[in-house]
């Protein structure tokens, strides 16, 4: 780390993002970094609340601490991953261009996802940022033209304020150059977890809005705290298990086991009062956006060959891979034993008011039902893909953390996509073909379960899942329909007559007729794994 400041080969400002749930100790870690003389760096810091930092004026003079105000840049396509904080973009760009600092640290809020911040630095999003700049220019031109037209018609319409125009122009310049990747590089993504409360969060019925001021949480950002905590852990490349002095050795080892299962590739540190070797979080060169998307333990389990699984500190994982679809109504349990949160992201805005409303979420009831179920109670995380009998074209996406299980539509099965759209690389195509089995291509159930005493609950989970599958008679009937020479629409209609389908619509983004009806370009509905 010494010599980083004088290294002329590093032109872009290196950045570390600090994430972590409320009270985990990330602000304490930030204070430790600012007070330390070991790294020899002049550090710039962007925080959400400068009042939370317990540092004196002399320390602030040696570094630069900036509090950002919320300013959102919303892209035209409306996707949450394409929503950037304009203030963050401006501050990082200004600090990088000033070349007065050796390093930048960004402290995220306790209820934010690090991936959304990381996307601002990712070269993979450069084209999207350029398009956003064009969208902003087009919108500014439209607003001005509309205002002039109304003024010419005799209305008193104020023109845009010069200061606002200047700020917009600044954002256009940053985005138009491809975002922050030209000026700064994301070096490390750190997540701090609280060893004392980590495991209990998996059995929490609270949502982000329960912890924040009422009305301050965007509807698109609302999620259960176990979902948020898992997102923060799975995306990080360094994870600090803090407050180790407040738990016994057995609990600490169990927390380490869960973290390792959630993110096998992360550098895992254990700390008290966030005291760590700072070389592990500054200038590590560990971050890769593409690698971070592939680092979650559940995804690695899907990509690896299935092997006999061992438990570490009582935490294990199970991979269920089955090539028979479940009946469409198998997920609806009238007794409430296994509740589901069916993803409503694909709902049309013009929802038919005559449709029966979905039952409202009852987090407390869900938690009670989960804890009472011997198979699901020890389950901490599960994720993967599934094949629904009435949806032969599209894969389903399953994601569970703690008490919340979210199920929604995914992309087309590979066997239903044009091979000309597959990657050109032979090794990648060969890997994709490994998922093809028999007549029905890559359609399958493939779910990874991470939990406590996994060997004990494995037969219980397997029995629950297998009870959802079509029986031999239903499976034969399904195959007969799919082998017919009728159109796929006719086949789907027949399958819906055979099996009750109580699920919300899944949007097929590769169906031009559907996308034309929605008036969209296919961007909506994609998600981050």
């Amino acid at each position: 780390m010494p010599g980083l400041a004088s290294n002329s080969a590093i032109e872009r400002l290196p950045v570390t993002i600090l994430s972590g749930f409320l009270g985990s100790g990330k602000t304490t870690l930030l204070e430790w970094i600012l007070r330390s003389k070991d790294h020899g760096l002049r550090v710039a810091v962007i925080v959400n609340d400068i009042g939370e930092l317990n540092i004196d004026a002399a320390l602030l003079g040696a570094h630069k601490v900036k509090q950002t105000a919320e300013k959102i840049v919303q892209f035209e396509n409306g996707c949450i991953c394409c929503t950037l904080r304009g203030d963050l973009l401006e501050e990082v760009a200004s600090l990088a261009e000033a070349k007065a600092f050796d390093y930048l640290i960004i402290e995220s809020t306790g209820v934010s996802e690090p991936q959304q911040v990381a996307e601002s630095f990712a070269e993979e999003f450069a084209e999207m940022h350029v398009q956003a700049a064009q969208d902003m220019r087009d919108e500014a031109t439209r607003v001005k033209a509309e205002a002039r037209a109304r003024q010419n018609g005799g209305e008193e319409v104020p023109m845009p304020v010069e200061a606002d125009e200047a700020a917009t122009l600044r954002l256009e310049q940053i985005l138009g150059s491809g975002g922050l990747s030209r000026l700064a590089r994301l070096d490390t993504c750190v997540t701090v977890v609280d060893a004392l409360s980590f495991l209990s969060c998996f059995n929490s019925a609270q949502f982000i809005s329960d912890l924040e001021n009422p009305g301050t949480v965007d509807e698109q950002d609302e999620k259960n705290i176990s979902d948020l905590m898992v997102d923060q852990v799975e995306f990080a490349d360094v994870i600090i298990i803090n407050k180790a002095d407040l738990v016994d050795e057995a609990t600490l080892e169990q927390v380490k086991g869960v973290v390792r299962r959630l993110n096998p590739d992360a550098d895992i540190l254990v700390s008290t009062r966030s005291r760590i070797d700072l070389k592990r979080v500054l200038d590590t060169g560990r971050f890769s956006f593409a690698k971070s998307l592939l680092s979650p333990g559940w995804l690695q389990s899907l990509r690896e060959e299935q092997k006999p699984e061992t438990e570490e500190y009582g935490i294990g994982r199970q991979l269920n891979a089955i090539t028979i679809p479940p009946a469409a109504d198998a997920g609806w349990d009238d007794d409430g034993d296994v509740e589901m949160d069916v993803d409503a992201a694909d709902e049309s805005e013009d929802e038919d008011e005559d449709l029966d409303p979905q039952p409202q979420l009852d987090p407390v009831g869900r938690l009670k039902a989960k804890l009472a179920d011997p198979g699901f109670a020890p389950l901490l995380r599960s994720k993967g893909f599934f094949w629904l009998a009435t949806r032969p074209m599209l894969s389903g996406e399953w994601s569970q953390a703690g008490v919340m299980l979210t199920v929604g539509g995914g992309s087309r099965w590979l066997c239903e996509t044009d091979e000309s759209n597959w990657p050109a690389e032979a090794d990648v195509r060969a890997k994709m073909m490994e998922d093809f089995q028999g007549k029905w291509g890559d359609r399958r159930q493939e779910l990874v379960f991470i939990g406590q005493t996994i060997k004990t609950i494995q037969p219980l989970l397997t029995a629950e899942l297998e009870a959802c599958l079509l029986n031999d008679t239903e499976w034969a009937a399904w195959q007969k329909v799919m082998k017919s020479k009728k159109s796929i629409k006719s086949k789907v209609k027949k399958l819906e007559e055979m099996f009750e389908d109580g699920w919300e619509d899944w949007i097929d983004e590769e169906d031009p007729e559907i996308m034309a009806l929605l008036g969209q370009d296919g961007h909506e509905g994609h998600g981050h794994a």
Side-chain angles (χ1 to χ4, degrees), residues 139-189:
E139 177 65 11
T141 301
R142 185 193 65 78
V143 170
K144 276 188 174 182
E146 183 179 287
R148 288 196 184 98
R150 293 173 64 184
Q151 285 178 341
N152 293 337
E155 293 185 54
E156 291 187 8
V157 181
M159 294 296 287
V161 180
E162 287 187 11
D164 293 338
E165 287 187 313
T168 299
L169 179 61
R170 174 63 171 155
L171 283 175
E172 286 179 17
Q173 293 171 342
I174 297 170
L175 293 170
S177 65
L180 295 175
S181 59
R182 179 178 61 86
L183 300 169
R185 63 175 178 85
L186 184 50
D187 179 84
T188 314
C189 188

Side-chain angles (χ1 to χ4, degrees), residues 394-427:
L394 298 176
S395 62
E397 295 182 348
W398 165 303
S399 179
Q400 172 262 333
V403 70
M404 296 303 299
L405 170 61
T406 303
V407 176
S411 58
R412 282 193 181 187
W413 294 110
L414 288 174
C415 60
E416 293 293 346
T417 62
D418 191 329
E419 288 193 30
S420 64
N421 295 326
W422 289 20
E425 294 79 5
D427 57 336

Side-chain angles (χ1 to χ4, degrees), residues 369-379 453 456-457 460-461 464:
K370 179 180 182 294
L371 295 178
D373 189 291
F376 285 89
L379 191 60
T453 61
T456 301
I457 66 175
L460 300 174
L461 291 173
E464 294 265 17

Side-chain angles (χ1 to χ4, degrees), residues 112-115 191 223-236 262 381 383 399 401 528-529:
S112 65
E113 298 175 44
Q115 181 174 338
T191 290
K223 60 173 56 181
N224 182 261
I225 63 172
S226 57
D227 266 335
L228 172 65
M229 187 177 64
V230 166
D231 287 342
Q232 292 176 342
V233 169
E234 289 183 338
F235 191 75
L262 291 175
R381 173 69 161 149
K383 192 155 183 171
S399 179
H528 304 296

Side-chain angles (χ1 to χ4, degrees), residues 309-380:
E309 194 55 71
T310 58
E311 292 189 8
E312 182 180 16
Y313 313 121
I315 306 298
R317 64 182 176 184
Q318 169 195 352
L319 171 63
N320 279 60
I322 309 170
T323 53
I324 298 176
D329 60 351
W332 301 103
D333 191 331
D334 293 334
D335 296 329
D337 291 336
V338 182
E339 296 275 356
M340 287 187 177
D341 172 24
V342 182
D343 189 356
D346 293 337
E347 271 191 89
S348 167
E349 293 182 359
D350 300 323
E351 184 178 1
D352 189 343
E353 295 180 358
D354 295 331
L355 292 176
D356 292 334
Q358 289 288 344
Q360 294 297 306
L361 285 177
D362 179 10
V364 175
R366 287 176 178 233
L367 178 59
K368 182 179 178 181
K370 179 180 182 294
L371 295 178
D373 189 291
F376 285 89
L379 191 60
L380 303 174

Side-chain angles (χ1 to χ4, degrees), residues 352-487:
D352 189 343
E353 295 180 358
D354 295 331
L355 292 176
D356 292 334
Q358 289 288 344
Q360 294 297 306
L361 285 177
D362 179 10
V364 175
R366 287 176 178 233
L367 178 59
K368 182 179 178 181
K370 179 180 182 294
L371 295 178
D373 189 291
F376 285 89
L379 191 60
L380 303 174
R381 173 69 161 149
S382 62
K383 192 155 183 171
F385 314 98
F386 66 95
W387 170 19
L388 205 59
T390 51
R391 313 282 175 103
M393 297 291 288
L394 298 176
S395 62
E397 295 182 348
W398 165 303
S399 179
Q400 172 262 333
V403 70
M404 296 303 299
L405 170 61
T406 303
V407 176
S411 58
R412 282 193 181 187
W413 294 110
L414 288 174
C415 60
E416 293 293 346
T417 62
D418 191 329
E419 288 193 30
S420 64
N421 295 326
W422 289 20
E425 294 79 5
D427 57 336
V428 176
R429 295 171 73 94
K431 190 68 177 177
M432 293 165 66
M433 287 302 299
E434 291 179 4
D435 291 326
F436 283 63
Q437 296 185 29
K439 299 176 181 178
W440 306 113
D442 61 321
R443 295 182 179 93
R444 65 199 185 280
Q445 323 295 333
E446 199 163 38
L447 302 171
V448 175
F449 295 87
I450 298 173
Q452 300 161 309
T453 61
I454 199 71
K455 290 182 179 179
T456 301
I457 66 175
Q458 179 172 351
L460 300 174
L461 291 173
T462 301
E464 294 265 17
L465 294 170
E466 290 184 347
C468 297
L469 301 177
L470 301 182
N471 59 37
D472 291 344
T473 301
E474 293 169 333
W475 175 225
W478 187 93
Q479 294 184 86
K480 182 178 180 180
V481 171
M482 289 299 294
K483 289 177 182 177
S484 71
K485 296 182 179 181
K486 295 181 179 180
S487 68

Side-chain angles (χ1 to χ4, degrees), residues 19-314:
S19 297
F21 199 59
L22 297 167
S24 61
K26 62 183 184 299
T27 300
T28 305
L29 173 60
L30 183 56
E31 293 172 4
W32 172 238
I33 294 172
L34 293 176
R35 293 179 186 279
S36 175
K37 298 179 181 179
D38 295 338
H39 52 68
L41 302 173
R42 183 166 172 79
V43 178
V45 177
I46 296 177
V47 299
N48 285 277
D49 186 357
I50 198 170
E52 293 183 0
L53 281 173
N54 183 25
I55 52 181
D56 56 29
L59 190 59
L60 285 174
H63 302 286
K64 181 180 179 67
V65 180
K66 177 70 175 180
Q67 179 175 343
T68 58
E70 192 75 11
K71 180 163 54 178
I72 299 298
V73 179
Q74 178 72 45
F75 288 31
E76 287 300 310
N77 51 47
C79 174
I80 187 59
C81 79
C82 308
T83 302
L84 299 177
R85 287 183 48 183
D87 60 304
L88 178 64
L89 294 175
E90 293 178 20
E91 289 297 339
V92 174
S94 296
L95 291 168
E97 291 170 345
K99 297 187 181 300
F101 301 93
D102 308 318
Y103 212 91
L104 171 63
I105 299 174
I106 300 174
E107 183 193 19
S108 302
T109 68
V111 294
S112 65
E113 298 175 44
Q115 181 174 338
Q116 293 180 15
V117 180
E119 285 169 353
S120 304
F121 298 87
E123 295 181 4
E124 291 87 342
F125 285 79
E127 290 186 9
M128 187 179 294
H129 294 155
V130 172
Q131 182 58 52
Q134 184 60 54
D135 291 344
M136 292 179 70
R137 285 190 289 270
D138 293 344
E139 177 65 11
T141 301
R142 185 193 65 78
V143 170
K144 276 188 174 182
E146 183 179 287
R148 288 196 184 98
R150 293 173 64 184
Q151 285 178 341
N152 293 337
E155 293 185 54
E156 291 187 8
V157 181
M159 294 296 287
V161 180
E162 287 187 11
D164 293 338
E165 287 187 313
T168 299
L169 179 61
R170 174 63 171 155
L171 283 175
E172 286 179 17
Q173 293 171 342
I174 297 170
L175 293 170
S177 65
L180 295 175
S181 59
R182 179 178 61 86
L183 300 169
R185 63 175 178 85
L186 184 50
D187 179 84
T188 314
C189 188
V190 180
T191 290
V192 185
V193 300
D194 181 350
L196 187 63
S197 63
F198 181 73
L199 294 176
S200 63
C201 283
F202 285 96
N203 288 328
S204 173
Q206 286 187 307
F207 280 70
I208 295 175
S209 58
D210 295 326
L211 307 175
E212 293 288 281
N213 293 329
T216 62
V217 178
D218 190 286
E219 184 177 336
Q220 296 181 90
D221 296 334
E222 178 69 297
K223 60 173 56 181
N224 182 261
I225 63 172
S226 57
D227 266 335
L228 172 65
M229 187 177 64
V230 166
D231 287 342
Q232 292 176 342
V233 169
E234 289 183 338
F235 191 75
D237 40 57
V238 177
I239 300 169
I240 301 171
I241 301 174
N242 192 34
K243 302 184 183 180
D245 57 320
L246 301 182
V247 297
D248 57 34
E249 188 64 26
T251 300
L252 181 60
E253 293 302 320
Q254 196 170 36
V255 172
K256 288 165 63 176
V258 174
V259 169
R260 176 62 66 198
R261 289 298 186 193
L262 291 175
N263 193 336
D265 290 337
D267 182 17
I268 299 175
L269 314 177
V270 176
S271 72
T272 296
R273 297 182 180 86
S274 299
R275 295 295 192 269
I276 58 164
D277 179 357
L278 296 180
K279 292 180 181 179
R280 307 281 286 274
V281 297
L282 299 176
D283 195 32
T284 68
R286 292 184 60 91
F287 185 80
S288 161
F289 191 83
K291 185 178 178 181
S292 292
L293 295 181
L294 298 175
S295 63
W298 70 269
L299 187 55
Q300 291 195 20
S301 295
L302 293 185
R303 294 164 61 220
E304 297 169 356
E305 293 183 10
Q306 190 170 3
K307 301 175 183 178
E309 194 55 71
T310 58
E311 292 189 8
E312 182 180 16
Y313 313 121

